[in-house]
Amino acid sequence: LNNAGSEGQPANLPEPIIDDIPEAVRDKPVTESRSLLKPQMLLIGGLGGFVAIAVVTGLFLSRPQAEAPVVSSPDSSATSSPIAGTLTPGAENILGHLVYEEAPASELKPITNDGSLQLRKAAAQQYKRMSTDARRAGVILVPISGFRTVAQQQHLFFDIKAQRGQDTSKRAEVSAPPGYSEHHTGYAIDIGDGRSPATNLSPRFEQTAAFNWLEKNAARYSFELSFPEGNPQGISYEPWHWRFVGDRHSLETFYKAKNLTPEAELENSSTP
Ligand code: DAL
Ligand code: ZN
């Protein structure tokens, strides 16, 4: 399941490898993101009141209520992301994580010699190209976790949450609930730097040669960062987690009917 070959055997591994959750982001104190939501909640409350009055009085609204944003981010009292998640209506999600289907085994290809890590065929092919080219440039990309089943994610979310005594929304900042991980799709991969294993699954991966190279070159292989800082889903920054968007199926998987709009844009778009 992962490069250490034992994501399913967490007792034998250091914690950060278990669930792509760095120690550093597990238990951050509540930050300003909480207060970021307050004006929006007031706005929604205000809009609700206005709509109610409009319905009663038979007023016609120039902006239909259906266009109002659906706030479905991780619990605002617990999120540590600078921008709370705001998903458009129709984006099926739990605590900011979007629903994904598990890739069929027949669609998966190994990306490691021992076959312990797999991606969908197109993603596997491009990942291997990318890794080879990085190596030529002196950069060692190490795959840490690729495709994960819903059952594996079930363990990562619930069992680790219980072990750490985390509450649900806190857990969801760093781990997707089963059925809601990009890793189910076979398009997502966690990448480390072979010369800096201590940064595996840590925000400090951002300071490695591998991340620097990926930032400049990953798009050539159709990989993109899934959870940049301030991502609209409200998930913690994950510089190690990349997804393939290089064919129609992967593009539809990540973008169709899942338009994500940062709060700032929503606020601007609601300005007359
Ligand atoms: N860490 C990412 C969000 C996942 O669990 O899929
Ligand atoms: Zn990941």
Side-chain angles (χ1 to χ4, degrees):
L1 173 61
N2 66 32
N3 199 44
S6 55
E7 195 157 300
Q9 301 164 18
N12 299 329
L13 289 170
E15 278 194 345
I17 304 290
I18 295 174
D19 58 351
D20 68 11
I21 296 164
E23 193 81 48
V25 297
R26 278 188 212 134
D27 295 303
K28 272 189 189 167
V30 174
T31 64
E32 70 275 5
S33 62
R34 182 174 196 171
S35 59
L36 266 179
L37 264 188
K38 282 178 182 168
Q40 189 188 46
M41 291 167 74
L42 287 173
L43 178 64
I44 290 170
L47 277 176
F50 179 70
V51 169
I53 291 166
V55 168
V56 169
T57 60
L59 273 175
F60 289 99
L61 295 175
S62 59
R63 178 178 285 271
Q65 194 184 15
E67 284 183 25
V70 172
V71 177
S72 46
S73 63
D75 186 321
S76 60
S77 67
T79 182
S80 58
S81 303
I83 298 178
T86 306
L87 311 181
T88 53
E92 191 182 340
N93 78 95
I94 288 181
L95 295 163
H97 295 276
L98 299 158
V99 70
Y100 292 110
E101 277 179 23
E102 195 178 291
S106 59
E107 290 296 311
L108 299 170
K109 287 281 176 210
I111 54 166
T112 49
N113 289 336
D114 65 3
S116 62
L117 282 178
Q118 297 176 305
L119 290 178
R120 282 223 191 213
K121 288 171 190 167
Q125 191 183 34
Q126 288 303 304
Y127 177 76
K128 286 195 215 166
R129 256 191 74 220
M130 182 164 79
S131 180
T132 303
D133 290 350
R135 183 65 78 108
R136 284 197 188 111
V139 172
I140 304 173
L141 303 183
V142 177
I144 297 168
S145 183
F147 167 75
R148 295 203 289 250
T149 64
V150 173
Q152 287 164 335
Q153 196 70 24
Q154 166 102 6
H155 162 70
L156 291 176
F157 189 83
F158 289 109
D159 296 347
I160 305 298
K161 167 174 148 11
Q163 274 176 27
R164 294 180 187 161
Q166 291 174 313
D167 69 33
T168 301
S169 53
K170 197 57 149 174
R171 184 71 187 141
E173 288 174 25
V174 290
S175 177
Y180 292 79
S181 175
E182 291 190 352
H183 286 279
H184 298 327
T185 67
Y187 291 125
I189 181 164
D190 297 333
I191 302 174
D193 187 318
R195 298 188 203 282
S196 186
T199 66
N200 280 0
L201 309 174
S202 157
R204 286 181 296 116
F205 175 66
E206 185 191 51
Q207 286 143 31
T208 64
F211 180 76
N212 189 32
W213 189 92
L214 284 166
E215 239 191 343
K216 292 192 177 87
N217 296 288
R220 296 182 197 283
Y221 309 87
S222 299
F223 281 89
E224 65 181 19
L225 204 55
S226 296
F227 306 112
E229 279 179 297
N231 63 81
Q233 288 176 256
I235 312 302
S236 288
Y237 177 42
E238 294 194 353
W240 60 88
H241 178 116
W242 296 76
R243 65 187 179 196
F244 179 75
V245 285
D247 60 16
R248 177 174 170 175
H249 185 262
S250 56
L251 200 66
E252 288 182 351
T253 296
F254 294 117
Y255 286 104
K256 197 174 183 183
K258 292 178 177 178
N259 299 315
L260 308 172
T261 312
E263 259 180 60
E265 281 179 30
L266 280 172
E267 278 163 17
N268 290 341
S269 69
S270 65
T271 308

